[in-house]
Amino acid sequence: MLKVGVIGIGSISDMHIQAYQKNDQVKLIAFCDLSEERLAEKGKKYGVEKLYNHHEALLADSEIDAVSICTWNDSHAEIAIAALEAGKHVLVEKPVSMTVAEAERIEEAVKKSNKILQVGFVRRHADNVNVLKRFIDTNEFGEIYYAKASYLRRYGNPGGWFSDITKSGGGPLIDLGVHVIDISWYLMGRPRPVSVSGNTYHKLGNRSNIKNLSAYQAADYDPTHNDVEDLTNALIRFENGASLYVDVSFTLHAKKDETTVKLFGEKGGAEIEPELAIVLEKNDTILNVDPQIDHLGFDFVKSFDNEINHFVDCCVTGKESIAPIADGVEVMKMLNAIYESAKTGKEVYL
Ligand SMILES: NC(=O)c1ccc[n+]([C@@H]2O[C@H](COP(=O)([O-])OP(=O)(O)OC[C@H]3O[C@@H](n4cnc5c(N)ncnc54)[C@H](O)[C@@H]3O)[C@@H](O)[C@H]2O)c1
């Protein structure tokens, strides 16, 4: 049995906790959070008895083999490094850190340990992505030279720490852009990014005045402080000549929310968000192909179950995760370069 602790037991931790509880190779034994109230509430809800209010106390518990880190972004690096040094396997939520330097420090710590560190790129574990990846790996699309990804919320600033740049590292780019940039880049075959041009806008604020519309909120929702951008767009160029255009928002005067990820190759193309679709050309005819699978879209619960099961499998067997720290570092380079480009108004070379 792999004995697991979860550090940071706010909103998204429920997905980790419930997936661990479904896995019969795992015993979930400990929680850690800054909030005593949340520790008591979730400890009772999930029948977890070891409750710690500091990560160092949890990491000193020699019974624990592996941890999920679901804290604010500002503590991911510190806790991940401490966990590796304490001999634990680590699943760290996205973004892996707030800066490239932090991500590289985690990479160093991974190299020194012989432990698994998996980055929480949950979309890599979605069933629709795995179906598409088999088509990509069998070269159905030829070289993928362009990708276009949007994650636009018209009203969706989660408030609290998400909108405090010192705790989050940024707004929709580091929170939502990380998902769609990663999944596009992963499916493009992880080409090396060489330059980035980006823009950020602070025009609408958090729009907490809006009524009668619900949205994702941090466990400690507070709309009073907001110093993150509300919209980012960017063009990323890769060494192989491919490019990725992305736009993401927390707030925007858009008619509706929109999540799209589209890939265009020499022999065919595909959409993975909002639903898997494949475009091919055969016998001088364009074919729009609808794969027959249970969920064409992103199945939130199933993807987290797959992510946790993969992490547990890597911890138990020692095999490498499909979401290693090297990819976390590369994605952080793209995110940080977009912010840098927006700040300077210039293209940034990586
Ligand atoms: N993969 C996804 O789709 C997804 C979705 C949402 C959030 N996330 C990520 O998960 C992380 C948490 O987000 P959330 O929405 O659950 O936030 P949240 O505010 O709901 O919960 C965070 C919890 O962490 C606790 N915490 C913060 N710093 C801590 C520390 N140093 N030690 C112990 N506890 C600490 C807080 O008290 C809170 O209970 C973030 O990194 C976020 O980017 C990922």
Side-chain angles (χ1 to χ4, degrees):
M1 293 293 263
L2 189 78
K3 296 200 175 121
V4 173
V6 176
I7 306 175
I9 50 164
S11 308
I12 207 63
S13 71
D14 286 323
M15 291 295 112
H16 291 241
I17 294 165
Q18 290 163 20
Y20 282 125
Q21 289 193 323
K22 283 179 227 168
N23 186 311
D24 56 19
Q25 287 182 290
V26 169
K27 191 153 190 246
L28 184 65
I29 61 167
F31 286 159
C32 169
D33 203 283
L34 302 174
S35 160
E36 294 284 357
E37 201 186 324
R38 201 159 297 138
L39 273 177
E41 180 217 318
K42 290 217 174 168
K44 192 168 163 215
K45 179 174 172 191
Y46 291 111
V48 168
E49 281 169 12
K50 291 188 174 193
L51 304 172
Y52 299 101
N53 60 13
H54 198 285
H55 68 266
E56 278 171 9
L58 182 144
L59 295 176
D61 184 334
S62 58
E63 223 195 328
I64 296 171
D65 303 307
V67 294
S68 267
I69 301 173
C70 305
T71 57
W72 309 327
N73 303 344
D74 65 339
S75 54
H76 287 186
E78 182 194 345
I79 301 176
I81 293 166
L84 291 163
E85 287 174 354
K88 319 291 185 197
H89 301 293
V90 175
L91 170 55
V92 56
E93 262 300 350
K94 49 52 62 175
V96 66
S97 59
M98 299 205 303
T99 65
V100 177
E102 282 179 341
E104 287 174 340
R105 281 205 297 278
I106 301 176
E107 190 171 34
E108 278 307 303
V110 174
K111 281 183 192 148
K112 280 193 211 139
S113 74
N114 61 350
K115 298 290 153 187
I116 302 293
L117 182 135
Q118 180 172 311
V119 182
F121 291 135
V122 67
R123 278 170 166 73
R124 293 188 181 198
H125 304 273
D127 287 342
N128 62 351
V129 166
N130 286 324
V131 169
L132 179 61
K133 187 128 190 340
R134 289 191 61 186
F135 282 77
I136 292 172
D137 292 347
T138 51
N139 203 29
E140 291 288 338
F141 307 122
E143 184 195 328
I144 298 171
Y145 56 89
Y146 180 47
K148 192 169 185 299
S150 292
Y151 199 149
L152 298 173
R153 288 183 185 162
R154 57 187 174 161
Y155 164 66
N157 180 323
W161 69 269
F162 281 94
S163 45
D164 176 345
I165 201 158
T166 63
K167 296 191 172 73
S168 61
L173 176 65
I174 204 163
D175 184 45
L176 308 177
V178 62
H179 284 299
V180 291
I181 289 173
D182 176 65
I183 202 60
S184 305
W185 176 66
Y186 175 66
L187 291 171
M188 291 169 94
R190 295 185 272 195
R192 196 173 74 79
V194 290
S195 75
V196 162
S197 191
N199 300 284
T200 55
Y201 297 90
H202 297 68
K203 298 285 186 188
L204 307 185
N206 57 21
R207 301 183 84 193
S208 59
N209 59 305
I210 297 296
K211 297 192 174 27
N212 307 312
L213 202 56
S214 49
Y216 185 89
Q217 293 185 343
D220 303 294
Y221 180 70
D222 170 13
T224 55
H225 180 96
N226 183 56
D227 56 11
V228 298
E229 86 277 8
D230 44 53
L231 170 72
T232 296
N233 63 25
L235 179 67
I236 305 171
R237 287 194 173 84
F238 298 99
E239 192 175 39
N240 63 355
S243 53
L244 164 62
Y245 180 77
V246 61
D247 54 8
V248 292
S249 68
F250 271 171
T251 56
L252 187 70
H253 285 301
K255 193 174 164 205
K256 56 182 177 130
D257 290 351
E258 182 183 318
T259 310
T260 56
V261 174
K262 300 175 185 179
L263 305 164
F264 305 99
E266 287 180 314
K267 296 200 293 178
E271 297 187 359
I272 196 72
E273 300 260 5
E275 287 195 332
L276 177 61
I278 290 174
V279 180
L280 297 170
E281 184 188 311
K282 297 265 185 231
N283 303 325
D284 306 324
T285 302
I286 291 174
L287 303 177
N288 285 358
V289 181
D290 293 329
Q292 301 299 297
I293 63 172
D294 283 343
H295 292 281
L296 284 170
F298 174 60
D299 182 339
F300 201 73
V301 173
K302 181 77 187 328
S303 303
F304 272 97
D305 287 352
N306 292 349
E307 176 181 54
I308 297 288
N309 292 343
H310 178 68
F311 173 61
V312 171
D313 188 34
C314 292
C315 295
V316 172
T317 64
K319 79 177 181 200
E320 207 196 332
S321 170
I322 63 159
I325 182 60
D327 290 3
V329 172
E330 220 48 21
V331 170
M332 278 317 297
K333 283 184 187 165
M334 291 185 254
L335 298 175
N336 276 197
I338 293 170
Y339 280 132
E340 175 69 16
S341 169
K343 203 162 90 186
T344 58
K346 293 195 168 67
E347 180 124 2
V348 169
Y349 295 91
L350 291 161

Short mmCIF file of all heavy atoms in Angstrom, two decimals, residues 311-346:
data_model
loop_
_atom_site.label_atom_id
_atom_site.label_comp_id
_atom_site.label_asym_id
_atom_site.label_seq_id
_atom_site.Cartn_x
_atom_site.Cartn_y
_atom_site.Cartn_z
N PHE A 311 0.01 8.41 -11.34
CA PHE A 311 1.00 8.79 -10.32
C PHE A 311 1.28 7.61 -9.39
O PHE A 311 2.44 7.27 -9.11
CB PHE A 311 0.49 10.01 -9.54
CG PHE A 311 1.34 10.41 -8.37
CD1 PHE A 311 2.67 10.80 -8.55
CD2 PHE A 311 0.82 10.42 -7.08
CE1 PHE A 311 3.46 11.17 -7.46
CE2 PHE A 311 1.60 10.80 -5.99
CZ PHE A 311 2.93 11.17 -6.19
N VAL A 312 0.23 6.97 -8.92
CA VAL A 312 0.38 5.84 -7.99
C VAL A 312 1.16 4.71 -8.68
O VAL A 312 2.09 4.12 -8.10
CB VAL A 312 -1.02 5.34 -7.51
CG1 VAL A 312 -0.89 4.04 -6.73
CG2 VAL A 312 -1.68 6.43 -6.65
N ASP A 313 0.81 4.45 -9.94
CA ASP A 313 1.49 3.40 -10.69
C ASP A 313 3.00 3.71 -10.82
O ASP A 313 3.86 2.83 -10.62
CB ASP A 313 0.84 3.31 -12.08
CG ASP A 313 1.35 2.13 -12.88
OD1 ASP A 313 1.65 1.09 -12.25
OD2 ASP A 313 1.46 2.25 -14.11
N CYS A 314 3.32 4.99 -11.09
CA CYS A 314 4.74 5.38 -11.19
C CYS A 314 5.44 5.20 -9.85
O CYS A 314 6.58 4.72 -9.80
CB CYS A 314 4.86 6.83 -11.66
SG CYS A 314 4.32 7.08 -13.35
N CYS A 315 4.78 5.59 -8.75
CA CYS A 315 5.39 5.46 -7.41
C CYS A 315 5.64 3.98 -7.10
O CYS A 315 6.69 3.61 -6.57
CB CYS A 315 4.47 6.01 -6.32
SG CYS A 315 4.21 7.78 -6.43
N VAL A 316 4.69 3.13 -7.45
CA VAL A 316 4.78 1.71 -7.09
C VAL A 316 5.78 0.97 -7.98
O VAL A 316 6.57 0.15 -7.50
CB VAL A 316 3.37 1.05 -7.16
CG1 VAL A 316 3.45 -0.45 -7.00
CG2 VAL A 316 2.45 1.66 -6.10
N THR A 317 5.78 1.30 -9.28
CA THR A 317 6.63 0.54 -10.22
C THR A 317 7.96 1.24 -10.52
O THR A 317 8.86 0.62 -11.07
CB THR A 317 5.91 0.34 -11.57
OG1 THR A 317 5.71 1.65 -12.15
CG2 THR A 317 4.58 -0.37 -11.40
N GLY A 318 8.04 2.56 -10.22
CA GLY A 318 9.27 3.31 -10.52
C GLY A 318 9.34 3.79 -11.96
O GLY A 318 10.35 4.37 -12.37
N LYS A 319 8.29 3.58 -12.74
CA LYS A 319 8.37 4.06 -14.13
C LYS A 319 8.18 5.58 -14.21
O LYS A 319 7.61 6.18 -13.29
CB LYS A 319 7.36 3.33 -15.01
CG LYS A 319 5.94 3.77 -14.93
CD LYS A 319 5.12 2.95 -15.94
CE LYS A 319 3.67 3.40 -15.90
NZ LYS A 319 2.75 2.44 -16.45
N GLU A 320 8.67 6.18 -15.31
CA GLU A 320 8.65 7.64 -15.40
C GLU A 320 7.25 8.15 -15.71
O GLU A 320 6.50 7.54 -16.48
CB GLU A 320 9.61 8.12 -16.50
CG GLU A 320 10.10 9.52 -16.20
CD GLU A 320 10.75 10.22 -17.39
OE1 GLU A 320 11.29 9.54 -18.26
OE2 GLU A 320 10.68 11.46 -17.41
N SER A 321 6.90 9.26 -15.08
CA SER A 321 5.58 9.86 -15.32
C SER A 321 5.52 10.47 -16.72
O SER A 321 6.53 10.95 -17.24
CB SER A 321 5.31 10.94 -14.28
OG SER A 321 4.16 11.67 -14.64
N ILE A 322 4.31 10.52 -17.29
CA ILE A 322 4.15 11.22 -18.59
C ILE A 322 4.12 12.74 -18.39
O ILE A 322 4.04 13.47 -19.37
CB ILE A 322 2.88 10.76 -19.36
CG1 ILE A 322 1.60 11.10 -18.58
CG2 ILE A 322 2.96 9.29 -19.73
CD1 ILE A 322 0.36 11.16 -19.45
N ALA A 323 4.18 13.20 -17.14
CA ALA A 323 4.21 14.66 -16.88
C ALA A 323 5.39 14.98 -15.96
O ALA A 323 5.21 15.33 -14.79
CB ALA A 323 2.89 15.11 -16.28
N PRO A 324 6.62 14.84 -16.47
CA PRO A 324 7.80 15.01 -15.61
C PRO A 324 8.15 16.49 -15.38
O PRO A 324 7.65 17.37 -16.07
CB PRO A 324 8.90 14.33 -16.44
CG PRO A 324 8.47 14.52 -17.86
CD PRO A 324 6.97 14.52 -17.86
N ILE A 325 9.04 16.72 -14.43
CA ILE A 325 9.43 18.08 -14.06
C ILE A 325 10.05 18.84 -15.23
O ILE A 325 9.87 20.05 -15.37
CB ILE A 325 10.37 18.09 -12.82
CG1 ILE A 325 10.73 19.54 -12.40
CG2 ILE A 325 11.62 17.28 -13.03
CD1 ILE A 325 9.57 20.40 -12.01
N ALA A 326 10.77 18.13 -16.12
CA ALA A 326 11.39 18.83 -17.26
C ALA A 326 10.31 19.56 -18.07
O ALA A 326 10.53 20.68 -18.55
CB ALA A 326 12.12 17.83 -18.15
N ASP A 327 9.14 18.95 -18.20
CA ASP A 327 8.05 19.61 -18.94
C ASP A 327 7.48 20.78 -18.14
O ASP A 327 7.07 21.79 -18.71
CB ASP A 327 6.93 18.60 -19.25
CG ASP A 327 7.38 17.57 -20.29
OD1 ASP A 327 8.55 17.62 -20.73
OD2 ASP A 327 6.54 16.72 -20.66
N GLY A 328 7.46 20.63 -16.81
CA GLY A 328 7.02 21.73 -15.95
C GLY A 328 7.92 22.94 -16.14
O GLY A 328 7.45 24.09 -16.23
N VAL A 329 9.23 22.70 -16.22
CA VAL A 329 10.20 23.80 -16.41
C VAL A 329 9.96 24.47 -17.77
O VAL A 329 9.92 25.70 -17.87
CB VAL A 329 11.66 23.26 -16.33
CG1 VAL A 329 12.66 24.33 -16.72
CG2 VAL A 329 11.95 22.73 -14.93
N GLU A 330 9.78 23.67 -18.81
CA GLU A 330 9.61 24.20 -20.17
C GLU A 330 8.34 25.05 -20.27
O GLU A 330 8.34 26.12 -20.88
CB GLU A 330 9.55 23.00 -21.13
CG GLU A 330 10.26 23.13 -22.44
CD GLU A 330 11.68 23.64 -22.44
OE1 GLU A 330 12.39 23.59 -21.40
OE2 GLU A 330 12.10 24.13 -23.51
N VAL A 331 7.26 24.57 -19.65
CA VAL A 331 6.01 25.34 -19.68
C VAL A 331 6.17 26.64 -18.88
O VAL A 331 5.71 27.70 -19.31
CB VAL A 331 4.82 24.49 -19.16
CG1 VAL A 331 3.57 25.35 -18.97
CG2 VAL A 331 4.52 23.35 -20.14
N MET A 332 6.88 26.58 -17.74
CA MET A 332 7.12 27.81 -16.97
C MET A 332 7.91 28.81 -17.79
O MET A 332 7.68 30.02 -17.70
CB MET A 332 7.88 27.52 -15.66
CG MET A 332 7.06 27.04 -14.50
SD MET A 332 5.50 27.89 -14.22
CE MET A 332 6.03 29.54 -13.86
N LYS A 333 8.85 28.32 -18.62
CA LYS A 333 9.63 29.24 -19.47
C LYS A 333 8.69 29.99 -20.40
O LYS A 333 8.84 31.20 -20.61
CB LYS A 333 10.67 28.46 -20.29
CG LYS A 333 11.88 28.04 -19.48
CD LYS A 333 12.91 27.37 -20.39
CE LYS A 333 14.05 26.80 -19.56
NZ LYS A 333 14.88 25.87 -20.30
N MET A 334 7.73 29.27 -20.99
CA MET A 334 6.80 29.93 -21.91
C MET A 334 5.93 30.94 -21.17
O MET A 334 5.74 32.08 -21.62
CB MET A 334 5.93 28.89 -22.63
CG MET A 334 6.71 28.03 -23.62
SD MET A 334 5.64 26.91 -24.55
CE MET A 334 6.01 25.33 -23.81
N LEU A 335 5.41 30.55 -20.00
CA LEU A 335 4.52 31.44 -19.24
C LEU A 335 5.26 32.70 -18.80
O LEU A 335 4.77 33.83 -18.98
CB LEU A 335 3.96 30.72 -18.00
CG LEU A 335 3.10 29.48 -18.26
CD1 LEU A 335 2.72 28.81 -16.94
CD2 LEU A 335 1.83 29.83 -19.03
N ASN A 336 6.44 32.51 -18.23
CA ASN A 336 7.22 33.68 -17.75
C ASN A 336 7.61 34.59 -18.91
O ASN A 336 7.60 35.81 -18.79
CB ASN A 336 8.47 33.23 -17.00
CG ASN A 336 8.19 32.89 -15.52
OD1 ASN A 336 9.10 32.82 -14.72
ND2 ASN A 336 6.94 32.68 -15.15
N ALA A 337 7.94 33.99 -20.07
CA ALA A 337 8.35 34.80 -21.22
C ALA A 337 7.17 35.62 -21.75
O ALA A 337 7.35 36.75 -22.22
CB ALA A 337 8.92 33.89 -22.32
N ILE A 338 5.97 35.07 -21.68
CA ILE A 338 4.79 35.83 -22.12
C ILE A 338 4.60 37.06 -21.22
O ILE A 338 4.39 38.18 -21.70
CB ILE A 338 3.52 34.94 -22.13
CG1 ILE A 338 3.65 33.84 -23.20
CG2 ILE A 338 2.27 35.79 -22.39
CD1 ILE A 338 2.57 32.76 -23.14
N TYR A 339 4.72 36.85 -19.91
CA TYR A 339 4.59 38.01 -19.00
C TYR A 339 5.70 39.03 -19.25
O TYR A 339 5.46 40.24 -19.23
CB TYR A 339 4.62 37.54 -17.53
CG TYR A 339 3.29 36.99 -17.03
CD1 TYR A 339 3.22 35.78 -16.34
CD2 TYR A 339 2.10 37.68 -17.25
CE1 TYR A 339 2.01 35.28 -15.88
CE2 TYR A 339 0.88 37.19 -16.79
CZ TYR A 339 0.84 35.99 -16.11
OH TYR A 339 -0.36 35.50 -15.66
N GLU A 340 6.90 38.53 -19.51
CA GLU A 340 8.04 39.42 -19.77
C GLU A 340 7.82 40.23 -21.06
O GLU A 340 8.06 41.44 -21.10
CB GLU A 340 9.31 38.55 -19.88
CG GLU A 340 10.60 39.23 -20.25
CD GLU A 340 11.10 40.15 -19.14
OE1 GLU A 340 10.63 40.01 -18.01
OE2 GLU A 340 11.94 41.02 -19.46
N SER A 341 7.33 39.55 -22.08
CA SER A 341 7.07 40.22 -23.36
C SER A 341 5.99 41.29 -23.20
O SER A 341 6.10 42.39 -23.73
CB SER A 341 6.65 39.18 -24.41
OG SER A 341 6.16 39.82 -25.56
N ALA A 342 4.94 40.94 -22.43
CA ALA A 342 3.86 41.91 -22.21
C ALA A 342 4.38 43.14 -21.47
O ALA A 342 4.00 44.28 -21.77
CB ALA A 342 2.73 41.25 -21.44
N LYS A 343 5.28 42.90 -20.52
CA LYS A 343 5.82 44.00 -19.71
C LYS A 343 6.71 44.93 -20.54
O LYS A 343 6.63 46.15 -20.44
CB LYS A 343 6.63 43.41 -18.54
CG LYS A 343 6.77 44.36 -17.37
CD LYS A 343 7.17 43.63 -16.11
CE LYS A 343 8.67 43.58 -15.99
NZ LYS A 343 9.14 42.77 -14.88
N THR A 344 7.53 44.32 -21.39
CA THR A 344 8.50 45.12 -22.14
C THR A 344 7.96 45.59 -23.50
O THR A 344 8.56 46.46 -24.13
CB THR A 344 9.78 44.29 -22.40
OG1 THR A 344 9.41 43.11 -23.12
CG2 THR A 344 10.47 43.91 -21.11
N GLY A 345 6.87 44.97 -23.95
CA GLY A 345 6.33 45.32 -25.27
C GLY A 345 7.20 44.78 -26.40
O GLY A 345 7.11 45.26 -27.53
N LYS A 346 8.04 43.79 -26.09
CA LYS A 346 8.96 43.26 -27.11
C LYS A 346 8.89 41.74 -27.16
O LYS A 346 8.50 41.10 -26.18
CB LYS A 346 10.40 43.65 -26.75
CG LYS A 346 10.66 45.13 -26.83
CD LYS A 346 12.18 45.37 -26.83
CE LYS A 346 12.51 46.79 -27.19
NZ LYS A 346 12.07 47.78 -26.21
#
